[in-house]
Every structure is written in C-alpha cells, then in structure tokens.
Amino acid sequence: MLKLSLPLRLQLSLAIVVGAALLKHSAWYGLSVYGAIAILWACFLRAPIRQLGGLLGTELIFLSLLALPQGWERATFLLVRSLVCLVTMNSFLLTLPPHSFGIALKTLPVPAPLKENLLLAGQYMEILLSEVTRMRRSAQLRGLNGTTGWLRYASAAMIGALYLRSLDRAERVYAAMVARGYNGQLPIDSTLRPKERFAVLLSWAIAASVTLTSYKI
C-alpha cells in the first residue's frame, strides 16, 4: 500500500470533510460523490471496520436527536452528510499512530491557538476511542454480544458514563502534559514535500469543483 505522511493524510481528509460540509442542501449527486470518496478513503487507510462501525453508531445516535426535529427530508440529508464526514475523519483517527496528531497539525495554515485546540481535541478523541473499546469489552463480559447488543447497551445506559469517564481521563492527561512542560507547542517540525503539496492542491481543487457544482445545478 502507498504510504502517505501524516500531514498529507490530514489534508486529504480535511478536503473531503470541508467539501462535503459546504455542499448545498439536497445536493444528493455531490453527496454521493463524496460518499464514494469517503468509502474509498476508509478502504485505502484500512480502517478497522468493527471499531469504525461501533464509533459511527454511537455518534449517529447523538446526531439523529439533533437532526430529526428539522423535518424528515432535511434530517436525512444532514445525517447522510454527517455520516460521510464521520467516516472520513474516523478512518483517519483510527489509523493514526498514538500521540501523533500534533505532527499532522504542524502543516495547517491556522493560528497557533486553534492548533492547540485541535491538538487537545485529537488527544480527547484518542481517549474517547480507548474508553469505547474498554466499555465494549465490559459489555461483552456482561453477555451483551454483537453490534445490536452493544448499541442498545450504549444508547440506553452508558453514553453519559462514557463521556464522564473520557472527560475525567482527559483532564488527567492534560495535567500530566502541563507537568511535563507543555505550553501549546510541540517541539517537532513537519513539512510537506513538493509532490505532497501538489496532491493537496489537487484534492482541494477537486473538492471545490464538486461543491461549487452543487450550487449551479
């Protein structure tokens, strides 16, 4: 498999997510294009299907509660668009080496405070994924086997406990980072090579063309 650097993988993932998020409402053709790209991206990154499915199921429970009050047609488009974005970013995060999110962030042309917030958000996502895995194992030990059992278990009783546990652990991780001298910056340097810059520009150009086309149809 062709190996991509972490900054390049992040840039390509962001091109898909931003392009899909800016699509015109009810632009199903453009959304289907992004959906196909998201699936190919997940396959290319070799995202673990079971972990990805469990994470998507838990996230879509929350999103459905927010989208359904807006009407069936609008809610359907919003949920499918959210699914495309979640598949893309979850595939990137699930295949990310531990504690390497900051390396990918170094190449983003955004202010340092925003990079810090993104870094902490990435660390929280890693913690959340770890807690989801631990709680799934706990559910299986209690006889809740299979995807259906896990989703029923999570949606009925454990969503609140999941986020409380992950928040508590995130606070302890951040305190440990500060104790070790963390000040919002990581002592690393990561730049894109010329070929990678061309790939980034091409991906953003394709995303822009698909998204802008949705407003002309």
Side-chain angles (χ1 to χ4, degrees):
M1 183 185 70
L2 178 64
K3 292 184 178 181
L4 304 180
S5 66
L6 293 178
L8 179 58
R9 286 161 58 182
L10 176 60
Q11 292 277 359
L12 296 180
S13 298
L14 287 177
I16 300 171
V17 170
V18 173
L22 295 178
L23 279 173
K24 182 181 179 182
H25 177 65
S26 298
W28 287 103
Y29 175 77
L31 189 58
S32 64
V33 172
Y34 279 114
I37 294 174
I39 293 174
L40 291 174
W41 185 238
C43 294
F44 176 81
L45 294 179
R46 296 182 181 178
I49 301 300
R50 297 187 65 178
Q51 285 184 275
L52 180 61
L55 189 60
L56 289 174
T58 305
E59 291 168 336
L60 287 177
I61 291 174
F62 284 99
L63 290 175
S64 62
L65 296 176
L66 299 174
L68 289 178
Q70 302 186 39
W72 177 252
E73 181 179 354
R74 185 176 181 83
T76 301
F77 182 81
L78 290 176
L79 286 175
V80 175
R81 182 168 64 181
S82 299
L83 180 62
V84 171
C85 296
L86 289 172
V87 167
T88 302
M89 290 309 299
N90 286 337
S91 298
F92 168 73
L93 292 172
L94 287 171
T95 56
L96 198 63
H99 312 298
S100 58
F101 192 65
I103 300 175
L105 289 178
K106 276 290 186 177
T107 57
L108 290 183
V110 295
L114 182 56
K115 284 186 179 182
E116 181 180 2
N117 289 332
L118 290 173
L119 172 61
L120 296 178
Q123 292 286 357
Y124 178 73
M125 284 300 299
E126 290 185 14
I127 292 171
L128 181 61
L129 292 173
S130 174
E131 290 297 325
V132 167
T133 302
R134 292 174 60 183
M135 293 179 71
R136 288 192 65 179
R137 291 175 182 171
S138 177
Q140 291 172 355
L141 292 175
R142 288 168 173 80
L144 293 168
N145 297 319
T147 305
T148 304
W150 159 247
L151 288 178
R152 182 170 61 250
Y153 180 63
S155 60
M158 299 305 295
I159 294 296
L162 169 63
Y163 280 94
L164 287 176
R165 288 175 57 174
S166 59
L167 272 175
D168 178 66
R169 187 176 168 192
E171 289 177 353
R172 288 187 278 113
V173 169
Y174 180 72
M177 291 169 62
V178 172
R180 288 168 173 79
Y182 174 71
N183 60 355
Q185 298 289 330
L186 293 179
I188 53 176
D189 186 24
S190 180
T191 57
L192 291 171
R193 296 187 295 271
K195 290 183 178 179
E196 293 179 331
R197 292 175 185 171
F198 175 76
V200 169
L201 291 175
L202 180 62
S203 64
W204 280 103
I206 294 174
S209 63
V210 174
T211 301
L212 292 175
T213 302
S214 69
Y215 289 89
K216 298 179 181 179
I217 296 177

